[in-house]
Amino acid sequence: MSLKWISLLLLLQLNCYFSSGSCRKVLVWPVEYSHWINMKTILDELVMRGHEVTVLISSASIFIDPNTQSSIKFEIFPTFLTKDDFKYIFKHLLDKWTYLAKDSFWTYFSTVQSIVWEYSDIVMTSCKDLVSNKKLMTKLHESRFDIVLADAVGPCGELLADILQIPLVYSLRFSPGFSLEKYGGKLPLPPSYVPVIMSELGDQMTFMERVKNMMYVLYFDFWFQTFNEKKWNQFYSEVLGRPTTLFETIGKADMWLIRNYWDFEFPHPLLPNFEFVGGLHCKPAKPLPMVLWRYHGKKPDTLGPNTRLYKWIPQNDLLGHPKTKAFITHGGANGIYEAIYHGIPMVGIPLFADQPDNIAHMMAKGAAVRLDFNKMSTTDLLNALKQVINNPSYKQNAMRLSTIQHDQPMKPLDRAVFWIEFVMRHKGAKHLRPAAHDLTWYQYHSLDVIGFLLACVAAALFVITKCCLFCCQKFPIAGKKEKRE
Amino acid sequence: MSLKWISLLLLLQLNCYFSSGSCRKVLVWPVEYSHWINMKTILDELVMRGHEVTVLISSASIFIDPNTQSSIKFEIFPTFLTKDDFKYIFKHLLDKWTYLAKDSFWTYFSTVQSIVWEYSDIVMTSCKDLVSNKKLMTKLHESRFDIVLADAVGPCGELLADILQIPLVYSLRFSPGFSLEKYGGKLPLPPSYVPVIMSELGDQMTFMERVKNMMYVLYFDFWFQTFNEKKWNQFYSEVLGRPTTLFETIGKADMWLIRNYWDFEFPHPLLPNFEFVGGLHCKPAKPLPMVLWRYHGKKPDTLGPNTRLYKWIPQNDLLGHPKTKAFITHGGANGIYEAIYHGIPMVGIPLFADQPDNIAHMMAKGAAVRLDFNKMSTTDLLNALKQVINNPSYKQNAMRLSTIQHDQPMKPLDRAVFWIEFVMRHKGAKHLRPAAHDLTWYQYHSLDVIGFLLACVAAALFVITKCCLFCCQKFPIAGKKEKRE
């Protein structure tokens, strides 16, 4: 072993020694694609600080490649889907959402619901394959992990934490209609000034926009379900051997690390166990040689000499290049955060999920122009680019957001890792958990108290009225009697 | 000038250079007594980082002594009250509150209201004397301050910031019924699990306690006023030359630094521009020689040989002494934070203001026993002391709170100073300000939207009913006709 490696290992040990007193064991329930990119940044930092990180993936996992992650352990459990099945289903679902017209509210959201339910079914299959794998579950029990770190949009992490009786920390960008945050985490989000996610509204709403937001909230609260809750409730109750629900199990999370910050999100209430860590994956750019273009297919004949094609380029480094003028993006949260970090104005062509909303936020903050993927022409794209490049307000606003992102008391990644380590050190963070979790929905909204007080008022009014009537009946007669006497 | 002093000055300059790029000018509107102790910790740190701090005090100020604060500038403006008047009024008000029996809710709170209104009148007099002092106001204008830092319970800071057109940061422990936080800051505090301050309730409430909390909330919202708002609204409107209110002016604050943390407070929602910085004045204890007793009068004959009397002792150092077993306290927030910091269980004998509530919080967290100042006997005190010393749970709970206080991502004082410097650097923090400030109370609660939607539903039902009736009237006849034909 070379001296360099010995020094590095020593450094890792020292890091662990200084950061938390002792190194701990982290069990991870991840979500594929861009979610994994973000989660991996946290995991790499945890490994850097000397913790032992174990990631659970199914044998059908496609994006999370154990072979490229030498410092992270993987537990691969068998599932009946093949990698090709999984890839095909995912592509099919994302394509369906991307080409879905938003002309009709009901058609759009009922299709979105069917898409997320299909996704939810795949996750449930994986989860069942995991928890019914007795050998692996025994191994996990015996490994005595300190924490489960889970991406909240792929349920199962909370079930694992409950089975293993260890604390739980979530990483989350959003859930449709904020259902997980509201009903799992008890986050209060007043519909009057907090535009619900997927509504594409800003926080400065007109009366009719507030009406629209309220209808979205009602729709998400009473109709749209991110997950087929009935199925999940039944599954969790069976596994845990007691009647429970998905949201009750989710509500046990010690900390929610939300991949968002106030440069991206509109100001709204938070709870003590919600921490905003948006942009934790962003870092200063490494130098690039020239302008670049990532492209797979045959080189188009019309391509100008100032455009070069590459099969893959590091997006963060490109956005951080001093000559980068604008960012054409599908509006994924990771990419938007890289653009914010480097202060680059955007042309957004959102496809699905939170992407339309993300671009709407950037538009409201004056840092982006939006195009419709299903309707745009080349002229639209050219005009949009000209607009964000030539109108200085877009650059100014992007730079303002960049300043907000950089000027924080603590870097988002450090904050995320601090809270994960805190939960491990103290075996939870009960002092941050609001008592709202112990209330039913009608208790939470004080409906029982209001009902009781109204009943008291009604009873008092009834008694007073009766007394008055009684007095009116008695005393006039007494008066008359007196007169007669 | 000695080398030591030159080094110190150089260090101050370098501190400023590293912390914020350039040093800035802070204008302070303080509140007397314990509030000043806390504020001064922040000011000393700001001075240490090379900022120029100017404190506004009236000529009647008693506790804030310019002669002992060499590094802070003072602007003393004349007021018609003398120091003796001021001292007498304050003592009279605090005595009145201390000996006020809480047997009757209405008598208690109407007296408390009269006390805070009397206090409010004194503050208003000072404020009028300040803003009508043309010479001083011109000087303040010309001094081009970067920020007003104000204790929110003594209004005037927000008026100053508005007149000088500069950002505003508040320091605040609490306002009665959370009125400033709720109506000035738009902080949502659901009555179902957030016990209102001065109710002495915990966050794990029974049904009847939730009823009690709701009644307190209704009382504070509709009856009790921290300040005589009508007077203040009129005063602010006159000075600013436009119709405005106290709460509207307060609502312009860029940041609220709340002297609280989750070891002391029960978890509840926060807003992005609310930062908890409780215990920022706490610091490691310096060594003490032996057990001590602070006492002014004649030495009692019955005093044991193991008790020594001193005229003044540093409370923080005493609480941090390894032999300190318990803390007998009136329950002021500063003292409680020092006890939490050093992990010392408490015997609380609350007198007035938030003190009964503070002790109630410490009792709910298992770190204190409470005695009634107006009813306690020497035996009660002895028993209470025995209880917190001999029952290990009190020490364990106090140590748990201490761990929470120490194990934060950033020290409270650093966090407080970070946000003050942030607001100065960026001339505000608009990105943290919720859009709730732009809504009326009925818009905030979505009452207009709910009304509109109900009207739509009613109209739809009316049309459908009319259609049905029309159909019933028409088609049976048509059916009969058909039958006949």
Side-chain angles (χ1 to χ4, degrees), chain B residues 243-282:
Chain B
T244 188
T245 64
L246 175 66
F247 284 137
E248 191 189 353
T249 320
I250 285 173
K252 292 181 182 169
D254 292 278
M255 179 61 67
W256 297 65
L257 303 173
I258 306 290
R259 303 196 293 271
N260 215 332
Y261 191 59
W262 307 115
D263 40 16
F264 192 172
E265 185 56 285
F266 304 115
H268 66 63
L270 277 190
L271 285 169
N273 58 347
F274 276 70
E275 195 70 38
F276 267 28
V277 295
L280 57 82
H281 64 293
C282 300

Side-chain angles (χ1 to χ4, degrees), chain B residues 330-341:
Chain B
H330 66 297
N334 285 343
I336 287 205
Y337 256 112
E338 286 170 355
I340 287 177
Y341 185 87

Side-chain angles (χ1 to χ4, degrees), chain B residues 182-298:
Chain B
K182 278 167 69 174
Y183 301 106
K186 304 289 177 189
L187 193 64
L189 298 169
S192 55
Y193 69 96
V194 186
V196 68
I197 195 144
M198 301 175 82
S199 69
E200 298 172 41
L201 291 164
D203 65 342
Q204 301 289 338
M205 292 183 269
T206 62
F207 174 72
M208 282 318 291
E209 282 175 333
R210 287 193 292 113
V211 169
K212 190 179 163 190
N213 195 44
M214 178 64 90
M215 289 177 73
Y216 269 93
V217 168
L218 293 173
Y219 174 76
F220 284 125
D221 280 3
F222 297 108
W223 196 267
F224 189 97
Q225 285 187 10
T226 310
F227 303 105
N228 186 338
E229 280 155 42
K230 209 173 159 185
K231 264 190 184 178
W232 282 94
N233 296 349
Q234 201 181 334
F235 169 42
Y236 277 22
S237 302
E238 277 168 18
V239 173
L240 295 173
R242 62 170 191 268
T244 188
T245 64
L246 175 66
F247 284 137
E248 191 189 353
T249 320
I250 285 173
K252 292 181 182 169
D254 292 278
M255 179 61 67
W256 297 65
L257 303 173
I258 306 290
R259 303 196 293 271
N260 215 332
Y261 191 59
W262 307 115
D263 40 16
F264 192 172
E265 185 56 285
F266 304 115
H268 66 63
L270 277 190
L271 285 169
N273 58 347
F274 276 70
E275 195 70 38
F276 267 28
V277 295
L280 57 82
H281 64 293
C282 300
K283 52 192 174 196
K286 291 177 201 145
L288 284 175
M290 57 201 76
V291 181
L292 295 150
W293 193 272
R294 178 184 175 279
Y295 188 76
H296 269 289
K298 189 178 161 277

Side-chain angles (χ1 to χ4, degrees), chain B residues 318-391:
Chain B
L318 186 65
L319 287 169
H321 191 275
K323 282 192 179 166
T324 304
K325 295 279 182 212
F327 180 35
I328 303 172
T329 175
H330 66 297
N334 285 343
I336 287 205
Y337 256 112
E338 286 170 355
I340 287 177
Y341 185 87
H342 296 294
I344 304 298
M346 290 158 257
V347 172
I349 311 170
L351 305 179
F352 57 85
D354 57 335
Q355 295 163 11
D357 234 68
N358 297 346
I359 297 298
H361 281 221
M362 287 302 103
M363 283 168 71
K365 287 161 195 279
V369 164
R370 179 187 169 148
L371 292 173
D372 187 332
F373 179 62
N374 293 317
K375 290 175 187 166
M376 65 187 250
S377 68
T378 46
T379 322
D380 294 336
L381 181 59
L382 187 67
N383 288 340
L385 264 175
K386 278 183 182 167
Q387 196 175 336
V388 299
I389 293 171
N390 298 334
N391 182 339

Side-chain angles (χ1 to χ4, degrees), chain A residues 192 210 270 407 426 444 448, chain B residues 192 210 270 407 426 444 448:
Chain A
S192 55
R210 286 193 294 113
L270 277 190
D407 203 353
H426 303 288
Y444 177 85
D448 55 345
Chain B
S192 55
R210 287 193 292 113
L270 277 190
D407 201 354
H426 302 290
Y444 177 84
D448 54 345

Side-chain angles (χ1 to χ4, degrees), chain A residues 27-46:
Chain A
L27 183 63
V28 184
W29 178 253
V31 163
E32 294 271 340
Y33 296 107
S34 61
H35 291 242
W36 169 247
I37 294 175
N38 209 288
M39 179 66 98
K40 201 181 161 293
T41 312
I42 303 177
L43 304 187
D44 286 342
E45 184 65 25
L46 287 169

Side-chain angles (χ1 to χ4, degrees), chain A residues 132-179:
Chain A
S132 62
N133 188 327
K134 284 188 180 167
K135 200 178 151 193
L136 179 55
M137 288 306 289
T138 308
K139 189 179 171 187
L140 295 180
H141 259 296
E142 287 168 354
S143 299
R144 296 177 165 269
F145 286 98
D146 291 290
I147 199 170
V148 169
L149 177 59
D151 195 316
V153 297
C156 202
E158 54 289 332
L159 180 64
L160 261 178
D162 203 313
I163 293 172
L164 300 175
Q165 288 289 300
I166 52 175
L168 168 67
V169 170
Y170 278 132
S171 169
L172 176 66
R173 160 65 193 107
F174 85 105
S175 66
F178 293 132
S179 62

